[in-house]
């Protein structure tokens, strides 16, 4: 096409039956542990955000591997018990920041 975009040869395939029925998607609870998994930084809604995982790393790994191996390579609901995840919202990210990083 004129934009140079590659068009997929097959349509998007949803493998979860009843995705509109969350009770049919497996759910795992993540709870606060003695030693949390750590902090992950991201940009969410144009703000710097620190996601502090207070669930143990082993529990987080178990949740991700269980989700990957089930439902045809699938999905899982993750319910964070109180204190297991906290978000620290920081400063707003300027659109200029993205342009500077792309130019490097």
């Amino acid at each position: 096409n004129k934009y140079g975009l590659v068009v997929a040869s097959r349509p998007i395939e949803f493998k979860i039956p009843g995705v509109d029925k969350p009770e049919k998607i497996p759910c795992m609870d993540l709870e606060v542990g003695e030693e949390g998994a750590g902090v992950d930084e991201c940009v969410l809604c144009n703000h710097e955000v620190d996601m502090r995982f207070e669930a143990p790393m082993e529990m987080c790994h178990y949740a991700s591997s269980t989700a990957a191996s089930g439902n045809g390579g699938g999905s899982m609901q993750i319910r964070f018990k109180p204190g297991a995840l906290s978000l620290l919202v920081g400063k707003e990210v300027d659109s200029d920041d993205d342009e500077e990083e792309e130019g490097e």
Side-chain angles (χ1 to χ4, degrees), residues 43-88:
V43 174
L44 184 64
C45 296
N46 232 25
H47 282 79
E48 293 177 356
V49 176
D50 288 345
M51 300 183 301
R52 183 173 304 277
F53 294 90
E54 297 298 342
M57 183 65 80
E58 296 80 21
M59 191 180 288
C60 294
H61 281 260
Y62 179 74
S64 64
S65 64
T66 302
S69 64
N71 298 320
S75 296
M76 174 185 294
Q77 297 180 70
I78 297 178
R79 184 175 30 230
F80 291 95
K81 294 294 188 170
L85 173 68
S86 59
L87 303 177
L88 178 63

Side-chain angles (χ1 to χ4, degrees), residues 5-102:
L5 300 175
V6 176
V7 179
S9 59
R10 61 187 178 127
I12 295 173
E13 186 177 331
F14 291 99
K15 295 183 178 185
I16 303 172
V19 72
D20 59 333
K21 298 177 177 78
E23 66 276 359
K24 293 190 178 205
I25 300 173
C27 184
M28 179 175 284
D29 292 340
L30 293 185
E31 300 176 358
V32 175
E34 284 186 30
E35 187 174 331
V39 178
D40 214 354
E41 299 171 344
C42 69
V43 174
L44 184 64
C45 296
N46 232 25
H47 282 79
E48 293 177 356
V49 176
D50 288 345
M51 300 183 301
R52 183 173 304 277
F53 294 90
E54 297 298 342
M57 183 65 80
E58 296 80 21
M59 191 180 288
C60 294
H61 281 260
Y62 179 74
S64 64
S65 64
T66 302
S69 64
N71 298 320
S75 296
M76 174 185 294
Q77 297 180 70
I78 297 178
R79 184 175 30 230
F80 291 95
K81 294 294 188 170
L85 173 68
S86 59
L87 303 177
L88 178 63
V89 180
K91 69 176 187 168
E92 186 172 3
V93 177
D94 294 330
S95 60
D96 294 342
D97 291 348
D98 291 337
E99 292 170 7
E100 288 174 12
E101 289 178 14
E102 289 173 7

